[in-house]
Amino acid sequence: MLQNIREHAQGLIAWIVILLICLTFSLWGIHSYLSMKTSSSKSDIVAKVNSNKIFQNQLNILYERMRQQEQMQLGADFTSNPVIEMRLKKQALNQLIMSDILSEAAIADGYRISDKQVDAAILRMPAFQVNGVFSKERFEEILTSTFYTQETFLGDLYRALLTSQVQSGFVESGFV
């Protein structure tokens, strides 16, 4: 049967049919690729906090940090199961949402953190010090091991300092 098809598939009509089939599949593939590309950018958003969007890659990075931190704390007792993973993912999402809400509220209330304050906080962190002195190499090593880029770390530190400024304002006020 295959020999019969081969003998009759030598003409111009056979080549036209093959060309039409190839053209159909290639156009179909291009269309599905483009539609997947545009829909994935929309589905990449996992949450929206006011005007800020939280993307899947932000959630994944924070989840990995939290997972790594829990693994370091528990050591040999750490076990990975779907329940723990789901709890960590929810915790990571809640942390991203709370961070956005608190930093937006602090900025709206007029709180500000200067670049000098961020730099001073980094210099004071014991994790980045070697023999009591800030080490750029140690700083970069820790950022790499915790899935941080320098820009992301500085942004997170800025938000943390901003929200701690608001919290300390309440704690140190006379109303408390």
Side-chain angles (χ1 to χ4, degrees):
M1 180 172 146
L2 291 176
Q3 184 66 28
N4 191 18
I5 293 172
R6 182 172 182 203
E7 288 173 3
H8 295 316
Q10 301 290 329
L12 180 64
I13 295 175
W15 283 108
I16 291 174
V17 170
I18 290 172
L19 184 65
L20 286 174
I21 290 172
C22 290
L23 187 64
T24 303
F25 281 128
S26 65
L27 291 176
W28 183 30
I30 290 171
H31 172 71
S32 79
Y33 173 75
L34 291 175
S35 66
M36 181 180 69
K37 190 89 166 156
T38 57
S39 68
S40 69
S41 64
K42 292 177 184 172
S43 66
D44 197 23
I45 299 171
V46 293
K48 190 171 179 182
V49 179
N50 296 329
S51 63
N52 295 336
K53 296 174 183 169
I54 298 174
F55 295 96
Q56 183 67 46
N57 64 345
Q58 290 174 299
L59 180 63
N60 291 343
I61 290 170
L62 183 59
Y63 163 74
E64 283 300 322
R65 280 187 209 128
M66 293 173 78
R67 187 174 182 277
Q68 186 180 35
Q69 184 179 22
E70 189 164 305
Q71 190 173 11
M72 287 178 7
Q73 286 175 349
L74 296 176
D77 295 334
F78 179 78
T79 57
S80 180
N81 65 43
V83 174
I84 292 174
E85 289 178 15
M86 188 58 73
R87 177 183 55 84
L88 282 176
K89 284 181 182 178
K90 283 182 180 180
Q91 198 174 355
L93 182 61
N94 286 337
Q95 187 173 337
L96 286 170
I97 291 170
M98 289 302 294
S99 174
D100 277 357
I101 290 171
L102 290 173
S103 60
E104 274 189 16
I107 289 170
D109 288 342
Y111 290 91
R112 300 289 182 266
I113 297 292
S114 70
D115 291 339
K116 289 181 182 180
Q117 288 174 302
V118 173
D119 292 343
I122 292 172
L123 293 175
R124 285 192 311 267
M125 289 183 176
F128 302 137
Q129 295 180 358
V130 175
N131 298 327
V133 179
F134 176 78
S135 168
K136 178 118 174 108
E137 293 80 23
R138 179 81 176 141
F139 173 73
E140 291 171 353
E141 177 184 314
I142 290 178
L143 290 186
T144 303
S145 69
T146 56
F147 306 108
Y148 266 115
T149 63
Q150 188 170 349
E151 295 80 25
T152 314
F153 178 76
L154 293 175
D156 286 353
L157 181 60
Y158 174 84
R159 280 190 292 282
L161 291 172
L162 192 65
T163 55
S164 71
Q165 188 180 38
V166 174
Q167 290 170 345
S168 65
F170 283 114
V171 169
E172 294 173 4
S173 72
F175 296 111
V176 174

